[in-house]
Amino acid sequence: MAGYHLTHLRELEAESIYVLREVAAQFENPALLFSGGKDSIVCFHLAQKAFWPAKIPFTLVHIDTGHNFQETLDFRDELVKKNNVNLIVGSVQESIDAGKATEEKGINASRNALQTVTLLDTIEKYKFDAAIGGARRDEEKARAKERFFSHRDEFGQWDPKNQRPELWNLFNGKKNIGEHFRVFPISNWTEMDVWQYILQENIEIPSIYFTHERDCFVRDGVIYAHSSFMQLKPTEKVERRTVRFRTIGDMTCTGAVVSEASTLSQIIEEVASTRVTERGSRIDDKRSEAAMEDRKKAGYF
């Protein structure tokens, strides 16, 4: 049509749909990693668009730490039921019980890093040759090094210095037996793009992304949701606060932000004005300067 042009969101959508269709074309048993967070929800929505009116050709995989927000789990289960898709849940607790992972001890213990063992075991058990994730390059410096098709060796490990070129959007999915790929269809999106797209497409998201009252405590400047998983220091007090979450992960490493944003438009305004990064409240990223890269090299998301 003469004069027709794509908005930047439609351009990003088209790019992501192209990547998802390439996954379906090149791999025999792909999976969609689904955490119940906004990025994985957008990936699911894009997959629905890419293959409509057929069902999405991907199994959903959730790696459950056992310390997840209940609202996220409820949302996940409702989405699976509503859309009649296949869901596989990998349990970190089962990895601990089997002696494959060792639970951290101490006041700042978290199961977040233990997800790597469970993820790799799940990929091996079900013989997935591609795992689609919702990571974006703007989130963190290690994730900025990823390609759309990110090769993993037979041990599930990532070598950032040995990436395959992707000239003219040509993706090389060739692999040896035992190897697999991680695929990131929304790599070029920003946090703002995600929120604007959710608003544009009227996509449902878990309630904890919006402002709500919750029992919280503050540790090292980070607001945590109080739960039975968290051990309090003698000086820490639980208080009722009005907060929301910008990113959702394990409760032991995910911080909340003080917010009055109760609508998607208000969230977009808030994100536009903030000077704190989306993962600024994720304590797992702050354990060392290269925390995320070290985890990714070992097989993390």
Side-chain angles (χ1 to χ4, degrees):
M1 183 182 297
Y4 178 78
H5 68 279
L6 294 175
T7 66
H8 86 283
L9 288 179
R10 290 304 181 203
E11 289 178 350
L12 290 171
E13 178 189 67
E15 178 182 62
S16 299
I17 286 175
Y18 172 75
V19 172
L20 289 166
R21 288 173 175 167
E22 280 293 300
V23 173
Q26 294 195 38
F27 298 100
E28 296 182 2
N29 189 25
L32 173 59
L33 301 177
F34 188 83
S35 66
K38 66 183 186 306
D39 297 317
S40 62
I41 292 169
V42 165
C43 284
F44 179 81
H45 179 82
L46 290 165
Q48 287 184 307
K49 278 200 162 188
F51 302 102
W52 181 264
K55 288 176 59 176
I56 66 170
F58 312 128
T59 297
L60 268 58
V61 174
H62 180 214
I63 304 303
D64 184 4
T65 65
H67 293 170
N68 295 100
F69 291 92
Q70 187 59 48
E71 294 95 329
T72 307
L73 298 177
D74 292 343
F75 182 91
R76 177 203 68 186
D77 293 342
E78 182 62 27
L79 179 141
V80 168
K81 180 181 178 181
K82 182 185 300 184
N83 294 280
N84 191 28
V85 292
N86 185 32
L87 170 70
I88 290 173
V89 178
S91 169
V92 171
Q93 184 63 56
E94 289 182 6
S95 297
I96 294 171
D97 294 342
K100 294 182 177 181
T102 302
E103 188 147 27
E104 293 181 357
K105 306 296 182 184
I107 200 78
N108 293 311
S110 173
R111 287 185 174 182
N112 190 62
L114 304 187
Q115 294 180 89
T116 299
V117 173
T118 309
L119 172 61
L120 294 178
D121 282 351
T122 303
I123 289 173
E124 172 61 26
K125 178 179 179 180
Y126 294 96
K127 305 302 179 186
F128 294 123
D129 53 0
I132 302 164
R136 309 186 319 269
R137 293 191 180 112
D138 76 316
E139 288 183 276
E140 204 274 341
K141 57 187 178 183
R143 287 183 165 166
K145 299 178 182 179
E146 292 277 19
R147 300 286 196 267
F148 281 107
F149 277 32
S150 183
H151 177 262
R152 297 299 197 269
D153 65 20
E154 65 271 25
F155 301 106
Q157 296 177 332
W158 172 62
D159 181 0
K161 296 181 180 179
N162 188 26
Q163 299 264 343
R164 296 176 179 180
E166 293 180 343
L167 304 175
W168 305 291
N169 279 348
L170 297 176
F171 303 126
N172 182 356
K174 293 183 179 180
K175 59 180 180 54
N176 297 316
I177 294 175
E179 299 175 345
H180 72 278
F181 276 79
R182 305 289 173 83
V183 181
F184 305 106
I186 61 171
S187 289
N188 287 337
W189 297 50
T190 65
E191 182 189 9
M192 179 62 79
D193 293 330
V194 170
W195 284 118
Q196 290 178 333
Y197 188 73
I198 289 172
L199 176 61
Q200 173 183 283
E201 298 290 300
N202 193 29
I203 300 172
E204 292 185 27
I205 56 174
S207 60
I208 59 175
Y209 278 117
F210 300 100
T211 185
H212 60 283
E213 289 191 352
R214 182 180 290 267
D215 289 337
C216 302
F217 67 95
V218 178
R219 177 178 297 169
D220 299 327
V222 176
I223 303 172
Y224 289 97
H226 178 56
S227 72
S228 59
F229 314 133
M230 302 288 284
Q231 180 182 349
L232 293 176
K233 298 178 181 178
T235 56
E236 293 172 341
K237 296 181 179 180
V238 177
E239 298 178 334
R240 197 74 172 170
R241 289 184 174 234
T242 302
V243 299
R244 73 175 193 88
F245 293 86
R246 288 178 68 186
T247 178
I248 299 176
D250 188 290
M251 291 184 71
T252 60
C253 63
T254 304
V257 294
V258 175
S259 173
E260 296 291 339
S262 59
T263 66
L264 288 171
S265 295
Q266 290 172 340
I267 289 175
I268 290 171
E269 291 178 8
E270 186 178 271
V271 170
S273 62
T274 187
R275 294 185 176 273
V276 179
T277 63
E278 178 183 4
R279 294 184 68 93
S281 58
R282 289 291 294 268
I283 300 305
D284 49 322
D285 291 353
K286 301 178 182 180
R287 292 196 169 193
S288 73
E289 284 294 323
M292 174 63 82
E293 183 156 337
D294 290 342
R295 295 201 306 275
K296 287 182 68 64
K297 285 180 180 178
Y300 188 72
F301 300 96

